[in-house]
């Protein structure tokens, strides 16, 4: 009988605590995952005073990590043996004592005390940790309990009569304030001010975009230090349209219910007398149309600085020149008010400087920031009142090779399609100058076109403001190959620019959607590069909100474009994200919440796979298949791609079921996988070509990855794949699905060198071609392999869907695999000195730093440096060359004939050493830092490779040459058109 998984309310409060050990005394530090409440204060920096926050009806979930004390020796093989958690209330009274629990668990420890916890109350929690050396260390930190019920008596307010985007309220509070917690949701976007101070100046584009009919996020702030005891106070709220707007590209049925902007607010003030004072949003609040006369996610922001009213967020404000009206009661968006438990979107502290400023014509200047990024510009200007500045954003200053429209020389925006992407600022005439910075729009760009008529701008006038979800960067990768490093750079910049409360496809044109395919393809590298545990947990919640009654999920989340049901390779985001939350963070608690949703989706796929009867996979439905392979190569069989997604989802669900202790489900979905794997081979295997479907790389890569090829044909399929790669002169022919699996598959088969050669290509089609082509140097990833030759219809220069290669960099080129943080595996590739000299990767995991750095010291001498977090272990599998000698520090581990005494090695943290008859070595180590030196016999390898060769196929070089010749004619025509336009301009 299949298990019925438990479901319940669980808001994950993960306090990532650093327990320092190694010296004579311990010290601990805390950080936050999940909901947080910022303690606002005058002059406070970004995120200052953030406190972990949990819904009152939910049980906090604790976690911690054990780190080395920088002042003491670095110990090895440190394992937690027990822990004890204490929780006390604000009065110092003990609420829960877990007692001493003999366990290695340091993540996802659920609070087991009495419920509910008191709303608007601070609690202190502490953890004491014992280790295998009988030492103990402690941590103490706060968390806050809040509840959406505090908003039950508040009213959604705004206006159906005017664009009411500035709303205020004055009020008086008694003296002796103990705490003051503000609750707010403003949709599409809001900014909150208390007595003239922004409660969080770097927090932008808040709250998270959701399917507002299902869920609306609220945020809390501790504003105690901003209130005036016993005096007049003022609240001011600015509102923006955001995604709650008819102006956005919304295709779901809820479109007619969106807009205009609105807010809901509550302020709960607890006095030292024990009394509570509350302030709610209602129709006594006053509002007006402010200086922001227009704002749109896609189209930019218009500001008339002459309409600014300084001091409007302060008490005692008076304004006789504006029309302030009573706020209207507005219809609720309908969704459940939910604490925003993911990191907000923030501005980065470091602003980008423009590299150049070029005059074009018509009082227009083009600034180049040298990097494609997401955000906006901050522009300082001095000019007369009523004069204006227009700022247009673009990814490329000129389309270098092709355009479907006339090129004017004033900046290329055709590929942004319907998005106007223009900010407009009318000056107030301040003689000291004024600085324009938009609030409720965002752009993806490298270049900006600035137009005004009264002065010549300089580079110092403009700064680039980088914006993305505030996920800490936790990973690094570098190698001896500058091209690989540049590809990694492009992935990181592309990824963070597409972490904008949802994992988006692109950040610049009239799209910017939470495409599920992009999320599934890149979640692994995103988790290596950024701490996205809360981010993706929130996205799982959103997927569940958008799931249909049949179990189908849509192509985009929130569902606003694409199809329902999703293409199977898009819908797989649900299972793939869940699987990676466990693999990277060991986060079974979050995945358990959405287990039913995963089951329903996979069951839906199974139903679709069987609806066509026997061998129905041949007609498996699809929407996109292996999207955008490089022209002129076409797409492979799309039903094959969808069938592959089904198999991968079945594998993931079987694994998840086992980890969540649903053994019947694990067996059931394993059996289904085996059944469909056999059917996949029957349907798609082509004996004529000893490969699958049409024999394209993607077809064979997916079949081999899903392990459907029987043993008697598998080698022939591998040969077919390698022959095709060779025929294209070691270039890929894959779209986004095939590309994700091509590199890991080749490495798993032992062909690291071929995978590396493909990654190192600079000619079309390749990642290197994006960077080193003669037309434009990419600083993020293109949407299309042949972007310079395609028109504007679908041609983003910052599209993250090909970013999956970065996961291969971490897992295969560096050789780091987190494995749920239970046993870290290090498997550096079998590459010779002349193929890659070194690779280094680090990853600040939930348990601590994971590090691997391997390098060839000489042609046969190899060093590998690793770090394993405390409270876990590591396994190192050395490259597949025969080992002649292996040492670590002063210890000789293997002398070419014998392994040293295992008991003696165990005292140094080297727990087990295995040497195969072929001389391949694997070592199990405890936690800590290790540095091994190995002498290899590099004249041979323990893995025998087939030698595959093929004639060079000139299809790609012919394609590029043909397109370049055709587009040179287009550019000549465009130049002539530009000359004529200039003549017309100056004639008039």
């Amino acid at each position: 009988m299949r298990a019925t998984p438990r479901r319940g309310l669980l808001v994950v409060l993960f306090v990532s605590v650093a327990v320092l050990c190694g010296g004579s005394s311990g010290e601990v530090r805390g950080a936050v995952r999940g909901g947080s409440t910022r303690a606002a204060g005058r002059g406070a920096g970004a995120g200052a005073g953030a406190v972990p926050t949990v819904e009152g009806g939910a049980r906090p979930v604790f976690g911690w990590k054990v780190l080395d004390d920088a002042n003491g020796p670095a110990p090895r093989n440190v394992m937690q043996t027990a822990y004890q958690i204490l929780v006390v209330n604000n009065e110092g009274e003990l609420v829960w004592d877990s007692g001493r629990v003999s366990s290695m668990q340091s993540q996802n420890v659920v609070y087991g005390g009495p419920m509910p916890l008191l709303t608007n109350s601070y609690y202190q929690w502490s953890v004491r940790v014992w280790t295998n050396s009988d030492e103990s260390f402690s941590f103490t930190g706060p968390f806050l309990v809040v509840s959406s019920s505090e908003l039950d008596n508040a009213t959604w307010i705004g206006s159906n009569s005017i664009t009411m985007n500035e709303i205020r309220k004055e009020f008086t509070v008694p003296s002796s304030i103990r705490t003051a917690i503000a609750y707010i949701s403003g949709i599409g976007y809001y900014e909150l001010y208390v007595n003239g101070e922004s409660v969080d100046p770097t927090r932008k584009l808040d709250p998270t975009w959701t399917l507002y009919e299902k869920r609306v996020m609220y945020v809390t702030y501790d504003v105690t230090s901003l209130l005036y005891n016993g005096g007049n106070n003022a609240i001011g709220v600015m509102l923006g349209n955001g995604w709650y707007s008819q102006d956005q590209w919304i295709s779901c049925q809820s479109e007619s219910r969106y807009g205009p902007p609105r807010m809901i607010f509550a302020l709960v003030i607890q006095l030292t007398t024990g009394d509570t004072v509350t302030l709610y949003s209602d129709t006594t609040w006053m509002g007006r149309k402010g200086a922001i006369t227009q704002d749109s996610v896609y189209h930019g922001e218009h500001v008339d600085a002459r309409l600014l009213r300084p001091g409007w967020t302060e008490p005692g404000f008076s304004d006789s020149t504006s029309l302030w009206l009573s706020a209207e009661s507005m219809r609720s968006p309908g969704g459940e008010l939910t604490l925003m438990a993911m990191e907000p979107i923030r501005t980065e502290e470091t602003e980008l400087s423009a590299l150049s400023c070029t005059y074009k014509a018509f009082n227009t200047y083009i600034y180049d920031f040298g990097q494609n990024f997401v955000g906006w510009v901050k522009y300082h200007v001095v000019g007369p009142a009523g004069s204006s500045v227009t700022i247009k954003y673009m990814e490329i200053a000129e389309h270098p090779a092709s355009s479907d429209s006339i090129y004017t020389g004033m900046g290329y925006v055709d590929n942004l399609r319907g998005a106007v992407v223009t900010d407009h600022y009318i000056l107030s005439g301040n003689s000291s100058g004024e600085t324009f910075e938009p609030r409720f729009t965002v752009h993806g760009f490298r270049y900006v076109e600035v137009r005004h008529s009264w002065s010549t701008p300089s580079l110092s006038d403009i700064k680039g403001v980088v914006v993305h979800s505030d996920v800490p960067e936790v990973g690094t990768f570098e190698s001896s190959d500058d091209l690989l490093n540049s590809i990694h750079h492009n992935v990181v910049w592309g990824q963070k620019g597409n972490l904008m409360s949802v994992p988006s496809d692109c950040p610049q044109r009239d799209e910017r959607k939470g495409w599920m395919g992009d999320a599934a393809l890149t979640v692994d590298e995103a988790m290596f590069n950024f701490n996205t545990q809360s981010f993706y947990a929130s996205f799982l919640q959103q997927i569940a909100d958008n799931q249909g009654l049949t179990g189908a999920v849509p192509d985009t989340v929130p569902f606003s474009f694409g199809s329902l049901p999703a293409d199977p390779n898009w819908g797989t985001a649900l299972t793939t994200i869940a699987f990676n939350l466990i693999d990277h963070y060991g986060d079974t608690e979050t995945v358990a919440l959405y287990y039913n949703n995963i089951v329903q989706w996979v069951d839906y796929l199974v139903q679709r796979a069987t609806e066509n009867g026997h061998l129905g996979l041949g007609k498996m439905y699809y929407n996109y298949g292996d999207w955008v392979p490089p022209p002129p190569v076409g797409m492979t069989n799309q039903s094959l791609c969808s069938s592959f997604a089904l198999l991968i989802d079945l594998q993931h669900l079987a694994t998840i079921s086992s980890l969540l202790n649903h053994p019947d489900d694990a067996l059931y979905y394993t059996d289904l996988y085996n059944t469909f794997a056999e059917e996949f081979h029957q349907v798609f295997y082509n004996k004529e070509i000893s490969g699958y479907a049409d024999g394209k790389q993607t077809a064979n890569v997916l079949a081999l990855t899903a392990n459907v090829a029987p043993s008697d044909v598998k080698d022939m399929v591998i040969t077919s794949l390698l022959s095709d790669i060779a025929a294209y002169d070691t270039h890929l022919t894959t779209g986004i699905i095939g590309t994700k699996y091509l590199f890991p598959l080749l490495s798993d088969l032992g062909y690291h060198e071929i995978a590396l050669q493909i990654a190192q290509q600079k000619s079309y089609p390749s990642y290197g071609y994006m960077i080193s082509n003669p037309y434009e140097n990419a600083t993020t990833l293109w949407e299309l392999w042949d972007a310079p030759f395609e028109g504007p219809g679908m041609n983003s220069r910052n599209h993250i869907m090909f970013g999956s290669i970065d996961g291969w960099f971490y897992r295969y080129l560096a050789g780091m695999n987190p494995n749920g943080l239970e046993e870290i595996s290090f498997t550096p590739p079998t590459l010779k000195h002349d193929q890659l000299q070194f690779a280094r990767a680090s990853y600040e995991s939930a348990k601590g730093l994971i590090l691997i750095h391997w390098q060839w010291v000489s042609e046969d001498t190899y060093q590998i440096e690793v770090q394993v977090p405390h409270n876990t272990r590591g396994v190192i599998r050395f490259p597949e060359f025969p080992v002649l000698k292996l040492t670590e520090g002063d210890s000789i581990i293997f002398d070419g004939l014998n392994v040293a005494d295992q008991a003696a090695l165990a005292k140094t943290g080297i727990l087990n050493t295995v040497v195969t008859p072929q001389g391949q070595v694997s070592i199990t180590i405890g936690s800590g830092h290790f540095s091994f030196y190995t002498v290899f016999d590099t004249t041979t390898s323990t893995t025998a490779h087939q030698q595959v060769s093929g004639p060079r196929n000139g299809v790609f070089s012919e394609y590029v040459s043909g397109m370049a010749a055709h587009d040179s004619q287009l550019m000549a025509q465009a130049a002539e058109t530009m000359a004529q336009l200039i003549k017309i301009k100056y004639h008039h």
Side-chain angles (χ1 to χ4, degrees):
M1 180 176 180
R2 292 174 56 194
T4 301
R6 67 171 179 82
R7 294 298 301 273
L9 177 63
L10 176 64
V11 176
V12 177
L13 164 67
F14 183 95
V15 185
S16 178
V17 181
V19 181
L20 303 185
C21 66
S24 57
S25 62
E27 179 191 355
V28 292
R29 299 188 299 269
V32 179
R33 180 180 84 84
S36 65
T37 297
R38 184 178 184 273
R42 290 173 176 81
V51 174
T53 305
V54 63
E55 277 272 6
R59 293 184 179 274
V61 178
F62 302 107
W64 55 89
K65 64 175 82 171
V66 181
L67 299 180
D68 293 332
D69 186 341
N71 298 318
R76 289 180 173 180
N77 197 28
V78 175
M79 300 295 289
Q80 175 184 300
T81 57
Y83 68 83
Q84 179 182 18
I85 296 176
L86 302 177
V87 177
V88 300
N89 63 21
N90 215 24
E91 308 299 327
E93 301 167 336
L94 181 65
V95 176
W96 179 52
D97 181 353
S98 70
R100 178 167 173 161
V101 180
S102 296
S103 172
M104 293 170 53
Q105 184 179 3
S106 61
Q107 316 294 313
N108 306 311
V109 180
V110 181
Y111 167 80
M115 293 290 288
L117 297 170
L118 295 178
T119 302
N120 302 310
S121 296
Y122 283 95
Y123 289 80
Q124 293 287 325
W125 77 284
S126 62
V127 59
R128 187 178 183 186
V129 175
W130 287 268
T131 69
N132 52 352
S133 60
D134 291 328
E135 295 180 288
S136 66
F137 309 93
S138 299
F139 161 84
T140 300
F143 66 90
L144 173 66
V145 178
V146 299
S147 173
S148 62
S149 63
E150 296 293 353
L151 292 164
D152 287 350
N153 294 320
T155 302
W156 284 95
I157 59 174
S159 177
N160 288 307
S161 306
I162 65 170
T163 304
M164 186 175 285
N165 54 18
E166 291 182 0
I167 305 178
R168 69 186 308 273
K169 175 71 175 180
E170 291 197 29
F171 60 100
T172 302
V173 297
S175 58
S176 305
I177 298 175
R178 182 176 182 177
T179 60
I181 307 298
Y183 292 71
I184 187 170
S185 182
I187 54 174
Y189 298 136
Y190 77 92
E191 289 188 3
L192 174 63
Y193 296 81
V194 177
N195 292 328
E197 296 281 341
S198 170
V199 297
D200 197 345
T202 66
R203 187 169 186 145
K204 303 295 182 181
L205 307 176
D206 213 37
T208 297
W209 176 26
T210 57
L211 188 65
Y212 299 110
E213 305 93 312
K214 286 287 189 74
R215 193 173 308 276
V216 178
M217 298 297 185
Y218 75 89
V219 181
T220 56
Y221 300 91
D222 187 328
V223 297
T224 306
S225 64
L226 291 181
L227 293 179
Y228 299 131
N229 269 290
N232 292 331
N233 291 268
I235 300 291
V237 179
M238 297 184 70
L239 292 176
N241 290 310
W243 292 103
Y244 195 77
S245 168
Q246 304 292 334
D247 195 34
Q248 313 310 332
W249 179 25
I250 304 291
S251 63
C252 56
Q253 295 179 353
S254 58
E255 176 182 3
S256 61
R257 300 155 121 203
Y258 287 175
R262 61 205 64 195
M263 59 163 283
I264 191 169
F265 178 87
L267 178 62
V268 182
I269 304 171
Q270 294 182 336
L271 307 178
T272 55
T273 61
D275 295 326
T276 299
V277 177
T278 55
L279 173 72
Y280 298 115
S281 53
D282 57 28
T283 55
T284 65
W285 291 49
M286 305 296 290
R288 70 162 193 146
K289 180 177 182 178
I292 299 177
T293 59
Q294 178 182 330
D295 67 274
S296 164
V297 172
Y298 293 145
H299 305 312
E301 187 169 292
H302 291 197
V303 174
D304 188 342
R306 297 170 299 180
L307 303 178
L308 292 170
R309 297 294 180 263
W312 74 271
T313 61
E314 301 174 10
F317 170 74
S318 178
D319 179 12
S320 60
T321 60
S322 299
L323 179 64
W324 288 87
L325 301 176
S326 296
E328 302 173 35
S329 175
M330 304 291 284
R331 175 184 51 80
S332 165
E336 176 186 352
L337 281 165
T338 303
L339 178 67
M340 184 169 155
M342 63 176 291
E343 297 84 357
I345 294 173
R346 289 194 186 276
T347 56
E348 285 192 1
E349 184 176 352
T350 302
E351 297 173 343
L352 301 184
S353 298
L355 302 182
S356 65
C357 177
T358 304
Y359 178 74
K360 302 299 291 186
F362 316 144
N363 300 312
T364 300
Y365 301 83
I366 303 290
Y367 288 90
D368 178 9
F369 285 91
Q371 173 64 53
N372 194 324
F373 67 100
V374 177
W376 49 76
V377 297
K378 185 161 57 176
Y379 194 72
H380 181 77
V381 64
V382 180
S387 57
S388 64
V389 177
T390 300
I391 303 172
K392 185 180 287 289
Y393 298 78
M394 62 206 72
E395 295 189 290
I396 50 177
E398 304 175 6
H399 197 299
S402 174
S403 177
D404 286 350
S405 64
I406 296 175
Y407 168 63
T408 65
M410 306 305 295
Y412 181 80
V413 294
D414 290 15
N415 71 320
L416 308 183
R417 304 190 306 206
V420 178
V421 295
T422 300
D423 295 336
H424 189 71
Y425 183 72
I426 299 176
L427 280 65
S428 67
N430 189 322
S431 60
S432 300
E434 43 203 299
T435 299
F436 167 68
E437 181 178 1
R439 298 175 184 272
F440 298 128
T441 190
V442 67
H443 308 284
F445 64 102
R446 170 176 169 172
Y447 301 89
V448 292
E449 173 190 289
V450 178
R451 184 176 301 177
H452 61 72
S453 60
W454 63 89
S455 65
T456 301
S458 68
L459 288 177
S460 61
D461 292 336
I462 196 167
K463 294 292 182 183
V465 181
V466 182
V467 176
H468 54 85
S469 289
D470 189 28
V471 287
E473 198 162 338
V474 295
T476 65
F477 171 84
E478 63 177 327
S479 74
S480 55
D481 189 315
D482 289 339
L483 176 60
L484 300 180
N485 298 338
S486 295
I487 295 171
H488 171 70
H489 167 97
N490 289 6
V491 172
V492 170
W493 275 90
Q495 184 62 75
K496 71 179 177 180
N498 281 290
L499 296 174
M500 296 291 291
S501 83
V502 298
S504 60
D505 59 330
C506 62
Q508 72 295 88
R509 69 186 182 209
D510 57 354
E511 193 165 355
R512 317 184 195 190
K513 303 297 186 179
W515 279 98
M516 297 266 280
D518 304 62
L521 291 167
T522 60
V523 60
D524 185 42
E525 60 82 5
M527 288 184 175
F528 273 119
N529 286 309
F530 302 94
N531 183 355
T532 53
Q533 186 174 3
S534 296
F535 181 92
Y536 283 109
S538 174
F539 194 60
L540 281 184
Q541 183 182 65
Q542 293 231 50
I543 296 172
D545 285 346
N546 285 262
Q547 189 170 27
L549 295 177
T550 64
V553 297
D555 282 328
T556 59
V557 170
F559 182 34
S560 50
F561 195 68
S563 299
L564 175 66
D567 182 292
N569 278 292
W570 273 241
T572 190
L574 178 56
T575 55
T576 302
I577 290 171
F579 182 84
N580 276 276
L581 279 170
I582 295 175
D583 187 58
H584 282 267
Y585 306 109
D587 189 0
T588 54
E589 289 293 332
T590 296
V591 174
L593 285 175
Y594 304 105
Y595 182 78
N596 272 351
N597 301 96
I598 298 169
V599 167
Q600 291 162 13
W601 162 245
V602 175
D603 285 351
Y604 173 80
L605 285 183
V606 171
Q607 178 262 318
R608 292 299 302 268
T610 56
E611 66 185 5
N612 294 312
H614 181 59
L615 303 182
L617 289 184
K619 297 180 180 179
M620 185 66 174
Y621 86 97
Y622 57 83
N623 299 337
Y624 313 106
D626 188 30
W627 192 242
V628 294
V633 176
M635 196 181 298
T636 194
N637 186 296
Q638 291 166 292
S639 289
L640 179 149
C641 295
S642 292
S643 300
F644 167 79
L646 167 64
L647 291 174
I648 293 300
D649 279 354
L650 287 168
Q651 285 182 323
H652 283 162
L653 179 51
T655 300
I656 291 169
S657 298
S658 179
L659 292 172
L660 296 184
N661 197 28
H662 301 308
D664 291 344
D665 284 6
L667 180 61
Y668 173 76
Y669 289 108
T670 298
D671 288 343
L672 276 177
Y673 164 80
N674 291 329
T675 299
F676 282 115
E678 291 179 7
E679 182 177 330
F680 186 108
H681 178 72
Q682 285 181 278
V683 171
F684 297 113
Y685 184 67
N686 185 342
K687 292 181 181 179
E688 307 256 335
I689 59 174
S690 298
Y692 287 84
D694 49 15
K696 287 188 170 65
Q697 289 176 20
T698 291
N700 286 329
V701 163
L702 299 187
L704 289 167
T705 299
N707 198 28
V708 301
S711 57
D712 59 331
V713 302
K714 183 174 182 179
D715 285 346
M716 291 188 292
V717 177
I718 294 172
T719 299
S720 177
L721 171 62
L722 297 177
S723 296
D724 191 79
I725 293 171
Y728 285 99
D729 198 24
T730 322
H731 284 73
L732 51 73
T733 64
T734 49
I736 57 176
I737 309 301
T739 299
K740 172 181 173 60
Y741 295 100
L742 170 66
F743 295 97
L745 174 71
L746 289 173
S747 290
D748 284 335
L749 294 174
Y751 294 97
H752 293 290
E753 71 282 4
I754 295 178
L756 179 62
Q757 288 168 20
I758 296 173
Q760 291 173 322
Q761 291 288 355
K762 294 183 180 180
S763 56
Y764 174 81
S766 66
Y767 288 93
Y769 185 74
M770 298 183 190
I771 297 168
S772 60
N773 67 87
Y775 305 105
E776 55 181 287
N777 60 314
T779 58
T780 47
L781 297 178
W782 292 346
E783 181 177 17
L784 303 174
W785 294 113
D786 63 335
F789 308 120
E790 297 289 351
M794 193 186 77
N795 206 348
S796 158
R797 292 330 197 265
N798 184 355
H799 229 80
I800 194 55
M801 61 192 185
F802 281 116
S804 57
I805 191 174
D806 215 43
W808 178 73
F809 285 175
Y810 279 96
R811 291 184 183 270
Y812 291 92
L813 271 194
M816 170 196 297
N817 287 277
N819 295 329
L821 304 181
E822 294 299 323
E823 184 177 86
I824 316 301
S825 66
F826 301 98
T827 312
T830 304
L831 293 170
K832 293 185 178 182
H833 176 270
D834 58 351
Q835 293 170 325
L836 196 67
Q837 286 75 54
F838 77 85
R840 182 186 189 278
S842 66
Y843 172 47
E844 185 61 50
S845 75
K847 285 191 174 182
L849 181 66
I850 303 173
L851 168 74
I852 180 170
H853 179 196
W854 63 261
Q855 61 178 333
W856 286 101
V857 180
S858 66
E859 290 189 4
D860 61 358
T861 305
Y862 186 89
Q863 181 188 15
I864 179 170
E865 177 187 3
V866 299
Q867 182 155 329
V868 178
H870 294 316
N871 204 28
T872 189
R873 291 181 175 177
V875 175
I876 307 171
R877 295 176 178 85
F878 287 77
E880 296 177 350
F881 301 111
V883 175
L884 303 180
K885 185 178 181 180
L886 174 61
T887 63
E888 201 283 322
D890 296 329
S891 302
I892 298 176
I893 301 171
F894 179 63
D895 61 7
L897 295 175
N898 300 301
V899 175
D901 180 65
Q902 297 274 20
L905 289 176
K907 295 179 181 179
T908 68
I910 300 171
L911 306 180
N912 188 42
T913 303
V914 176
V915 181
T916 68
Q918 294 79 25
Q920 186 178 353
V921 175
S922 64
I923 294 179
T924 301
I925 54 177
S927 67
H929 187 272
F930 298 81
S931 183
F932 297 91
Y933 279 86
T934 308
V935 178
F936 286 121
D937 176 5
T938 57
T939 62
T940 184
S941 168
T942 60
T943 299
H945 285 172
Q946 298 166 299
Q947 298 299 314
V948 179
S949 62
R952 177 185 175 89
N953 190 319
V955 62
F956 288 134
S957 59
E958 291 173 7
Y959 172 77
V960 171
S961 298
M963 293 299 293
H966 171 70
D967 293 325
S968 65
Q969 298 175 3
L970 290 179
M971 292 303 294
Q973 295 170 6
E976 176 61 25
T977 302
M978 178 61 190
Q980 293 299 321
L981 288 173
I982 292 175
K983 288 180 181 179
I984 293 170
K985 168 71 176 179
Y986 285 103
H987 174 73
H988 287 290

